[in-house]
Amino acid sequence: MNTYSQNVQPLDPCRVAIIEQFGGKIVPLEPLGAQVQGIDLATRVMPPGELIEALEHEMAHRGFIVFKNEKQLEVDDFLRASCWWGGRQLHSTHGVHPATPGGNRHIFRLSNDERHGIPGVGPQWHNDGSFVPDTFSHAGYHIIRPAENGGGTCFVHQGAAHDALPKETREFWNRLSSVNSASGVVHPVVHVHPISGRRSIWLHLGMTGAVIEKSATDGGFRLLDAAELKQLCNQYKDILDAGLDNGYAISFEYEERDCVFVDNLAVAHRASPDAHLPAEQQGLRILHRSTVRAARNFGPDNGLPLQLDIYGPSPLGEGVWQGGGVGFRWDETVPMQN
């Protein structure tokens, strides 16, 4: 394993100084992420561009930032702060739970009690919005009620995970593109992060209907077969899971009034197993999620189109080509819900 795999870039002193200039304080979480205090997310005035850029760049390098709030945010304040990042506007594609305040279509309300929110979401590693061409640049998690007995989110740095791969695996994955099982949208399995410039891996373990390899010799394309795709998904899960022991992933537990913003191209996430335990056992958990429009499409640069007809016949002959639902079931024993 490459020793560079454990490197998540430390906070940049210049950006730390800018944040402090505007009354904030940022400290690193270990091994990734950062915690911010002193920045008012409830402000109705867009913060200075210099401050936003510093925070957004730290998010790109560290993966996510946690704002510690002295009082609970209103829904509108949370959604307004979500628009500080990426494409600067909400991009909401989810269903609306009946308990969502005001029926706000931009709030994806999650809970371990179906009376209070949608249960069971995101048990496998994924990035949000893999079914749209531009994905989401960022996602926000507003903690309405943390469970008394834990149940947070695991985050993993996908640049560090890329570097942890053996050289030959990195070279193979650089030739791969995934096809979303719900929409046929095509995304690279390895990409260069638009802010950090770091090569990063990216694959949705609960919504992939096919993976295409571009030949290293003749430039042609082929589908991975079932054995190859199963191996890929298991290797992807294994390298992300390994981050919890090797210093590039964290099992993050929320505290009351936390507001977390995630760079959706820098880190993958999954719900911790405890997050889906029943409220009677774990305590009631309620979380509001927002999703932010990207500034550009997140498509392949290898000659493949941005979208293919996943519900039609395979355009590349033999191999896995599976539309609908959770796509290819790489492990029949694990829960897969988006």
Side-chain angles (χ1 to χ4, degrees):
M1 181 174 289
N2 190 328
T3 56
Y4 185 68
S5 67
Q6 298 186 20
N7 288 352
V8 175
Q9 183 169 316
L11 295 176
D12 179 85
C14 293
R15 290 193 286 264
V16 170
I18 291 170
I19 294 166
E20 292 178 346
Q21 176 187 339
F22 291 99
K25 180 181 180 181
I26 184 169
V27 295
L29 299 174
E30 294 301 335
L32 68 155
Q35 179 176 298
V36 175
Q37 291 178 294
I39 300 297
D40 183 12
L41 295 183
T43 179
R44 294 178 179 270
V45 179
M46 183 74 172
E50 191 178 9
L51 173 60
I52 294 297
E53 182 179 18
L55 291 167
E56 191 169 43
H57 276 68
E58 286 305 335
M59 207 188 318
H61 288 284
R62 301 285 304 175
F64 67 96
I65 52 178
V66 184
F67 287 87
K68 309 298 287 189
N69 299 296
E70 294 182 359
K71 61 181 181 179
Q72 188 69 288
L73 288 174
E74 298 295 330
V75 167
D76 288 347
D77 296 331
F78 166 58
L79 294 176
R80 190 182 305 109
S82 299
C83 295
W84 292 0
W85 327 112
R88 307 297 196 259
Q89 66 180 113
L90 299 170
H91 186 180
S92 305
T93 60
H94 51 259
V96 178
H97 189 274
T100 302
N104 194 308
R105 71 181 185 89
H106 295 302
I107 293 294
F108 188 39
R109 186 174 168 98
L110 307 176
S111 179
N112 58 347
D113 185 328
E114 62 183 4
R115 297 170 297 177
H116 294 276
I118 298 173
V121 174
Q124 303 303 325
W125 291 112
H126 66 283
N127 300 76
D128 291 330
S130 66
F131 48 86
V132 292
D134 50 358
T135 73
F136 306 131
S137 67
H138 297 78
Y141 304 119
H142 182 202
I143 312 311
I144 305 303
R145 179 167 173 162
E148 288 90 342
N149 298 315
T153 301
C154 297
F155 298 104
V156 60
H157 196 287
Q158 290 168 287
H162 170 270
D163 295 339
L165 292 168
K167 181 176 182 292
E168 61 274 14
T169 304
R170 290 201 305 268
E171 292 173 351
F172 175 52
W173 287 17
N174 268 273
R175 301 195 299 273
L176 302 180
S177 301
S178 67
V179 184
N180 184 267
S181 61
S183 65
V185 165
V186 182
H187 298 303
V189 171
V190 178
H191 70 101
V192 176
H193 191 282
I195 293 178
S196 72
R198 191 161 186 179
R199 297 195 75 82
S200 303
I201 56 177
W202 206 93
L203 183 68
H204 197 305
L205 287 182
M207 201 183 281
T208 294
V211 169
I212 301 170
E213 180 192 8
K214 182 172 184 177
S215 171
T217 55
D218 63 12
F221 295 100
R222 72 172 187 96
L223 290 172
L224 298 194
D225 63 27
E228 292 171 314
L229 187 47
K230 182 176 182 178
Q231 181 181 37
L232 170 67
C233 291
N234 277 285
Q235 286 179 326
Y236 187 79
K237 176 184 181 298
D238 289 346
I239 199 66
L240 298 192
D241 284 347
L244 293 167
D245 295 321
N246 295 330
Y248 55 90
I250 185 173
S251 183
F252 181 77
E253 291 294 338
Y254 303 109
E255 295 181 350
E256 191 173 358
R257 300 187 300 276
D258 278 355
C259 190
V260 179
F261 290 108
V262 176
D263 186 314
N264 192 45
L265 292 181
V267 290
H269 63 280
R270 62 170 171 82
S272 69
D274 290 348
H276 292 154
L277 293 176
E280 296 78 14
Q281 180 177 348
Q282 198 70 4
L284 180 63
R285 176 181 61 88
I286 302 174
L287 180 150
H288 287 173
R289 189 201 70 175
S290 65
T291 44
V292 182
R293 186 174 299 280
R296 62 184 65 85
N297 284 332
F298 178 53
D301 60 1
N302 58 7
L304 285 171
L306 190 57
Q307 191 163 11
L308 293 165
D309 182 8
I310 189 66
Y311 295 100
S314 164
L316 296 170
E318 295 298 318
V320 175
W321 188 257
Q322 187 170 332
V326 297
F328 179 71
R329 287 302 302 264
W330 50 275
D331 187 336
E332 293 289 342
T333 68
V334 299
M336 295 172 70
Q337 179 178 335
N338 303 309

